[in-house]
Amino acid sequence: RPAGPRAGPEPGSGGLPEGVEYIPTRKKGKNPMKPVGVAWYSLYARTRLGYLFYQRQVKKARERYPHGHSTPQPCRFLGVKILPIPVLSNNYSYLVIDTGSGRAAVVDPSDPLAVQAAIEEEGVMLEAIFCTHKHWDHSGGNAALRQRHGSCKVYGSALDAIPELTNPLADREKVSVGCLTFEALATPGHTVGHMVYVLDGVPFGGPPCLFSGDLLFLAGCGRLFEGSPETMLSSLDVAVNLGEDTLLWPGHEYALECLSFASLLELDNPVLEQKLQWATQQRQEKRSTCPSTLGEEQTYNPFLRTHRPELQAALGLRQGGGEHPDAFRARVLKEVRRRKDLYKAT
């Protein structure tokens, strides 16, 4: 669509490129954070109503997916095991194990029963809970696991109201669990205190592992509930700077939806098309789509491609005279996010 004044998008179109028709599809899993207004978000994030809604989510998910929404695919390095735990309707918790000592950490324990079952099956000792942010679908299991594992510490940002937080972390602070070293990185945007955690893979001959929460998904990123496009862009750049070989372990199984949306923006991206076909097959077999790599993400994730002329052209955006490149990229990110929000709302 050409730059300049334009008419509003047709209802349900999501502001798609000219000539592209959006056909609504029925979503199987309900997303509690779908765009239903600022009032609902405030209730979900800041009141007991949000916790009650989370409990209802857990109950329904356990009934519908007694063995989890996806088949997990563990990842092993020399001395390390990463076990994705499918929880709720599309979340992932991660059990990260130092196989030498049997000590473990869990990232975002949404459903404490599912996490505890994995702990018992692996026969490990839980030492740490790393919480990316306060939302109940990422922190709801903290209290139950702390009660069961009394010496377990809960890590996260003091800027988010994380349940049972015992050890607030600063940006770039490191935590050891057995022989494992995690670095916390402040990545605000989705929430004010959102943090991601990076496992150092060097001692084990493996790549870095990014546990991204709701900062970054396969082909997507989190909604901007408590931040600006500029803030989110800066946080995404923090992730990208970790290196192309970094493994991405996201907080949600959103791959098929995100790739489908991305394919409407870049109609001639063969890497994107190939990834979409792969993800479709994976999901038909109820298999997880994670991890991907940050290098791979930069070839098809529109939120990491704000610098690409082909995406800018697809959005009908041009850099203004004297406009700083990062300011323009933030404007591109804002438009991609706006279209994605409309796409999800349909």
Side-chain angles (χ1 to χ4, degrees):
R1 186 174 289 175
R6 56 189 179 186
E10 291 294 322
S13 70
L16 299 177
E18 203 167 333
V20 176
E21 180 185 8
Y22 172 61
I23 302 174
T25 58
R26 187 170 181 172
K27 302 289 188 298
K28 292 183 178 179
K30 291 185 178 179
N31 178 2
M33 310 310 289
K34 71 180 181 179
V36 291
V38 174
W40 164 246
Y41 175 72
S42 297
L43 290 172
Y44 180 85
R46 302 187 180 113
T47 73
R48 181 165 174 77
L49 182 63
Y51 181 67
L52 295 175
F53 183 82
Y54 153 76
Q55 288 184 312
R56 181 171 175 268
Q57 273 188 289
V58 172
K59 182 176 182 294
K60 292 181 68 175
R62 286 173 181 169
E63 293 171 352
R64 183 172 183 179
Y65 306 108
H67 304 293
H69 58 74
S70 304
T71 302
Q73 300 168 65
C75 179
R76 294 178 177 84
F77 308 127
L78 184 62
V80 183
K81 181 178 181 180
I82 299 173
L83 178 63
I85 307 172
V87 289
L88 303 186
S89 62
N90 54 39
N91 281 72
Y92 285 112
S93 301
Y94 295 97
L95 188 64
V96 188
I97 303 168
D98 170 14
T99 57
S101 67
R103 299 176 181 181
V106 66
V107 180
D108 287 352
S110 306
D111 183 344
L113 289 186
V115 172
Q116 181 60 32
I119 291 170
E120 293 177 2
E121 184 174 341
E122 296 295 327
V124 297
M125 179 173 62
L126 184 65
E127 285 200 349
I129 294 172
F130 291 108
C131 211
T132 59
H133 63 295
K134 63 189 175 187
H135 292 158
W136 291 112
D137 62 323
H138 293 258
S139 64
N142 291 4
L145 289 172
R146 270 272 293 160
Q147 187 174 11
R148 188 166 188 127
H149 304 271
S151 62
C152 177
K153 296 180 174 63
V154 179
Y155 297 90
S157 171
L159 298 178
D160 263 19
I162 292 175
E164 302 292 322
L165 181 67
T166 61
N167 292 65
L169 293 174
D171 184 34
R172 306 283 174 178
E173 192 169 348
K174 294 184 179 181
V175 178
S176 294
V177 177
C179 294
L180 310 177
T181 300
F182 295 84
E183 183 177 14
L185 300 176
T187 51
H190 184 67
T191 65
V192 170
H194 193 286
M195 279 189 148
V196 299
Y197 301 95
V198 183
L199 173 65
D200 182 6
V202 172
F204 313 101
C209 292
L210 169 63
F211 299 94
S212 62
D214 281 0
L215 169 69
L216 188 61
F217 311 126
L218 194 153
C221 84
R223 292 194 65 209
L224 279 63
F225 287 116
E226 300 178 11
S228 65
E230 290 78 9
T231 300
M232 180 60 90
L233 179 66
S234 178
S235 293
L236 291 171
D237 284 347
V238 167
V240 168
N241 288 337
L242 293 172
E244 292 188 354
D245 65 333
T246 302
L247 296 183
L248 172 64
W249 300 95
H252 289 270
E253 180 56 71
Y254 287 161
L256 198 53
E257 178 183 319
C258 290
L259 287 164
S260 297
F261 168 74
S263 68
L264 298 177
L265 298 180
E266 291 195 62
L267 303 178
D268 298 312
N269 185 333
V271 178
L272 171 57
E273 180 61 29
Q274 184 177 9
K275 190 69 175 183
L276 177 56
Q277 292 175 4
W278 173 84
T280 300
Q281 183 65 34
Q282 289 288 105
R283 298 311 299 149
Q284 285 175 349
E285 299 172 2
K286 301 298 181 186
R287 295 172 65 85
S288 169
T289 59
C290 59
S292 61
T293 69
L294 292 183
E296 191 181 353
E297 288 296 313
Q298 291 174 70
T299 65
Y300 53 65
N301 188 328
F303 297 97
L304 300 185
R305 292 172 60 78
T306 53
H307 62 293
R308 300 293 299 185
E310 54 267 43
L311 178 62
Q312 296 164 4
L315 298 171
L317 297 177
R318 295 181 181 177
Q319 186 172 354
E323 185 177 21
H324 191 279
D326 285 345
F328 178 49
R329 289 176 60 217
R331 191 154 59 88
V332 174
L333 177 65
K334 181 180 180 180
E335 178 61 13
V336 177
R337 184 67 260 174
R338 183 188 73 82
R339 296 190 184 201
K340 180 62 170 63
D341 292 344
L342 291 172
Y343 176 80
K344 292 178 72 172
T346 303

